[in-house]
Structures are given as structure tokens and as C-alpha cells.
Amino acid sequence: MQTSFSLAQLADADVAESEKILRSCVHCGFCTATCPTYVLLGDELDSPRGRIYLIKNMLESGAAADATTVKHVDRCLSCLSCMTTCPSSVHYMHLVDHARAHIEKTFERPLFDRVVRKLLALILPRPTLFRAALVGGILAKPFAKFLPARLGAMLALAPDSLPTPSPMDRPQIFPAQGQRRMRVALLTGCAQQVLSPGINEATIRLLTRHGCEVAVAAGAGCCGALTHHLGKSDAAHESARKNITAWLGLWDGVGPDAIVINASGCGTTIKDYGFMFRDDPNWAASAARVAERAKDISEIITSLGLAPANVPKKLTVAYHSACSLQHGQKITTLPKSLLMAAGFAVRDVPEGHLCCGSAGTYNLLQPEIAGQLRTRKLANIARVRPDVIAAGNIGCMTQLAGGTQTPVVHTVELLDWATGGPKPEAIA
Ligand code: SF4
Ligand code: SF4
């Protein structure tokens, strides 16, 4: 694709990066076939190619974003299915991240939207605030139908009850069982530890059982993905800096052999820390070290070799492949192989490349499209008649669990169960 940026514009490192990405697109349109919003809406402007044109025009003009561009960029799930499909390796993720940051700086949203986005950026990354907000949401849920549609849709996503916080999410070191094979830091995250503390507990048990000493580092918290995808770059960088400092300071500054992530949306962002800080001389090297050591839990357990497993109950598992895992990190087979090695009967979900509609805060900000995608995903899951649905990302788990009676669990909960841990709570 031809571009026409001025030399002055290209002096900005972010614009220069986006220009490179734009030039790599040959507008073949292959990506449209696998883009969930194009599949649903059939509008070229809701396809990757259409968005790339809108972003190009917005960045070339150097002007404030217009309402049309904002509408179609906002409808993008950042599912990155287009990156898997694109034969020209267009780095759509970095392009849309830049577009969102430009929109955030230059576009004045309606007051309601501004307030909602500010509240989400404030509350979701902070477990104490998020818990308090969910308690309010649970109390208000019965009145959802009397509220404006968007508020009602948000309340519908609140769980019916909240689990008690886990003491395992507090900063501490868990010793390895038997001979120590690795020292790892666990990202305990933000929203996940409030919604489903059993996931981190299962992860810690699984890791220590496989010979890992596991640290929950003081000072680490949200990875920054939630604010990053809202275009709030400063807040995302601040979260990332805290994590980098906390993790690299572990074990007297030696740092962990790996940083283990069990929420794939977070993993995609942490693996991109090196890019996020590429122009910051104070942080670039540390950020790159963290990004190199960041691993999804399925990568770590595969590298260690799954311990002997004995599935207490032969279950058929529908494996839902989170977009951030399959498209963002290109991890497609490892979780399924581990589940099969553990003794579960694993089924692929038809149309597995399409997003379930969760996508960070997307199901809160775009509830109609998110709802359609969930319905489609659950219909596809039902076709494989599972006893249980497994996924590697809390966002997907919450999104799917809200629309089905089939238990939804994290992959690590099944692996932990099969190798000696307790039965996941969601399974009766
Ligand atoms: S598939 Fe790649 S090169 Fe083709 S239009 Fe989409 S982004 Fe551009
Ligand atoms: S990230 Fe997903 S929703 Fe956005 S353009 Fe690409 S395929 Fe479409």
C-alpha cells in the first residue's frame, strides 16, 4: 500500500512504525474472511482491510480522529485473527494499538463513553476496586432491566456471587516439590484473581508439583493490557514498569527463569513489552528481558513434561482456543496435547478461529456484537457435545459461562486435577 507521510511525520517513531506496517499490506483482502466483525456485519469498514485504510487516512492527515474511524476501530476486537490469515505478515496489532492511542489523544467521545472508559481503566486493573464494583453489580443486577441498555448489558456480565480472595495471591515464595528444576514468577493478574482465584491456586500447585519454585512478586499487578486496549498508553506503561521492576528484582536481582502467565490476553501483552519500550533507553533492555522470559503456562508444563496423570473421570472437553493464545501467541496445539496426555477426550470447536466476543473490555463496550459472537461460539461448542469447556483465558471463560450450563474451566484446573489436585469447583 502506498503511503504519503511527510518527513516531519516520519520523525515520530510510532508513525514511522505504522508507515512500515501500512506499506506491507497489499490489500488482497484474504483477512476479511476470518475477521469476526466482517463475518457478522459484512461491512468493508468492519474488516481488517477497511480499518487499515481508515487508520492510514487518519494518521496521514495528522488530524484528530473522526467519528467514522472511531466507530470502526472501536468495533475491532483486537482478536488478531487477521494476522494469522494475512499472507504478507502485516502487523495489524501494532497498527491498531497506535490507532487507539491516537484516537484517545485526539477524539472527544460523548460524556457517557468517556466516563465508562475512565471507570473501566480505573477499576478493572485494581482487584480491591474491582471486587467492590462487582459487589455493587451483584446487588444492582435485579434492576438491570430498568437501566439504560448498555448499563444493563454490563450488569448482566456480573457473576451471581463472588468467591473469597485466595491467600495464595499474596506476595510469597512457594517451594518446589522434590528437586527444584526452575524458579518462576507467576503473574497473578487483576480481574482473574477476583473472578476465579482457583485458577492461580491450580497453577501454583501444578508448577510446584513439576519442580518449580514459584514467586508471587510484591509490587507486580495488572499487565497493562486492559488500559493498552483502551488507548491509554501512559497507564499501560506504568503497569508494565511496575511488573518489570518486581519480577527482575526477584531472588536478589537474579530474576526468574520464566514469568508464567495463565491468562493469555495478558501473555500477549507481556510478550510485547520489548516493543512497547523499544524507544525508552531506561527500560528497553529490562522490558526485552521480561518479554523473552514470558511464557504461557502450557509452554512451561510442556517443556517440563507433564507428570504422570490419572483422570478421575473420563470427560469430553471442548477446547476453546482463546484468540490471544492462538493468534496473539501462536500457541495452538500445546494445551490440547497436554489435556490429551492427561487422559481427557479433547474436541476442537468448529469455527475455532472466531472470537467468542470477550476481547478484554469489548463485551462491556460493544455488548451487541459480543453477544452475537458468544451465541455463535456456544452453538459451535454444543455441536461437539462436551461435558466441560476448557480455555486458557479468564475473559473467554467469563464470556462463555454467562451463556451456558456446561461447566467452563481453565485448562490448568483440569491438568492440576489429573495430576493430583482437587476437582475444579465448576465441575459437579
Ligand atoms: S490479508 Fe494482509 S495484505 Fe491482504 S488486505 Fe489483509 S492485511 Fe492487507
Ligand atoms: S483484530 Fe479481529 S476484529 Fe480486528 S480487524 Fe483483525 S480479525 Fe477483525
Side-chain angles (χ1 to χ4, degrees):
M1 178 180 288
Q2 283 202 328
T3 56
S4 55
F5 290 97
S6 68
L7 286 177
Q9 284 178 306
L10 292 173
D12 179 314
D14 290 334
V15 174
E17 185 65 33
S18 288
E19 196 241 8
K20 260 198 286 174
I21 299 169
L22 289 165
R23 281 182 169 269
S24 65
C25 174
V26 295
H27 28 124
C28 61
F30 285 177
C31 51
T32 57
T34 59
C35 170
T37 54
Y38 183 74
V39 168
L40 280 189
L41 305 168
D43 182 342
E44 171 73 13
L45 294 182
D46 285 313
S47 77
R49 183 173 59 181
R51 292 189 177 110
I52 287 170
Y53 271 113
L54 289 171
I55 294 169
K56 170 183 162 345
N57 291 340
M58 175 179 76
L59 295 179
E60 277 180 349
S61 76
D66 61 62
T68 303
T69 304
V70 174
K71 174 177 153 185
H72 296 288
V73 170
D74 279 357
R75 280 186 184 167
C76 169
L77 295 134
S78 279
C79 69
L80 310 181
S81 175
C82 48
M83 285 182 64
T84 298
T85 311
C86 176
S88 303
S89 305
V90 172
H91 207 305
Y92 178 84
M93 178 175 98
H94 289 159
L95 185 67
V96 81
D97 285 348
H98 181 201
R100 291 192 204 283
H102 183 83
I103 288 169
E104 184 66 15
K105 277 190 209 136
T106 63
F107 184 72
E108 172 111 329
R109 293 177 184 276
L111 180 64
F112 179 79
D113 289 10
R114 288 207 302 275
V115 171
V116 167
R117 294 169 77 91
K118 270 208 173 114
L119 284 176
L120 291 176
L122 177 75
I123 293 170
L124 288 179
R126 295 171 177 82
T128 311
L129 280 182
F130 183 44
R131 170 169 285 278
L134 282 179
V135 170
I138 290 168
L139 293 174
K141 224 174 166 180
F143 309 103
K145 57 176 179 268
F146 304 113
L147 295 171
R150 281 178 62 191
L151 268 185
M154 285 184 185
L155 280 183
L157 285 167
D160 294 329
S161 61
L162 271 186
T164 46
S166 170
M168 292 172 88
D169 285 323
R170 294 189 201 127
Q172 60 197 294
I173 303 272
F174 298 89
Q177 287 179 25
Q179 196 184 359
R180 189 182 77 205
R181 299 165 73 191
M182 285 182 97
R183 291 199 297 204
V184 303
L186 173 68
L187 171 82
T188 49
C190 47
Q192 175 176 280
Q193 61 175 269
V194 177
L195 291 167
S196 186
I199 296 173
N200 284 342
E201 292 178 349
T203 306
I204 291 165
R205 284 191 299 267
L206 190 66
L207 286 167
T208 53
R209 192 177 299 130
H210 283 78
C212 295
E213 185 175 323
V214 182
V216 175
C222 173
C223 66
L226 289 167
T227 44
H228 190 55
H229 292 143
L230 288 167
K232 298 181 186 301
S233 304
D234 291 346
H237 280 73
E238 185 55 31
S239 297
R241 275 192 287 269
K242 284 184 186 161
N243 288 336
I244 293 166
T245 305
W247 290 329
L248 294 185
L250 283 167
W251 290 292
D252 298 323
V254 175
D257 299 317
I259 294 138
V260 180
I261 300 139
N262 58 15
S264 59
C266 309
T268 305
T269 296
I270 295 170
K271 287 181 177 182
D272 206 40
Y273 275 5
F275 181 83
M276 281 170 68
F277 288 94
R278 67 197 183 285
D279 296 319
D280 185 334
N282 295 322
W283 289 91
S286 308
R289 267 168 70 201
V290 164
E292 272 166 25
R293 297 183 199 184
K295 300 280 177 239
D296 184 73
I297 179 71
S298 62
E299 293 178 284
I300 293 288
I301 300 300
T302 301
S303 71
L304 293 169
L306 186 70
N310 179 20
V311 179
K313 208 170 162 189
K314 187 82 180 171
L315 293 175
T316 299
V317 178
Y319 174 69
H320 165 68
S321 191
C323 297
S324 40
L325 207 51
Q326 62 167 320
H327 303 305
Q329 299 179 49
K330 306 295 179 221
I331 295 174
T332 52
T333 56
L334 297 186
K336 287 187 287 184
S337 301
L338 287 169
L339 287 169
M340 284 189 272
F344 295 100
V346 182
R347 301 278 179 271
D348 281 326
V349 176
E351 288 192 332
H353 62 284
L354 286 184
C355 181
C356 65
S358 165
T361 54
Y362 192 91
N363 52 359
L364 299 170
L365 296 169
Q366 302 280 342
E368 281 178 21
I369 299 173
Q372 287 180 46
L373 287 170
R374 178 170 78 177
T375 302
R376 187 167 177 142
K377 180 63 71 182
L378 287 172
N380 277 317
I381 287 174
R383 287 165 63 188
V384 302
R385 299 176 182 277
D387 299 308
V388 60
I389 302 164
N393 192 46
I394 183 67
C396 311
M397 291 172 62
T398 310
Q399 170 81 345
L400 296 175
T404 178
Q405 296 301 314
T406 307
V408 184
V409 298
H410 195 290
T411 309
V412 291
E413 294 180 281
L414 293 178
L415 296 177
D416 175 46
W417 184 29
T419 54
K423 184 164 75 169
E425 272 184 27
I427 298 177

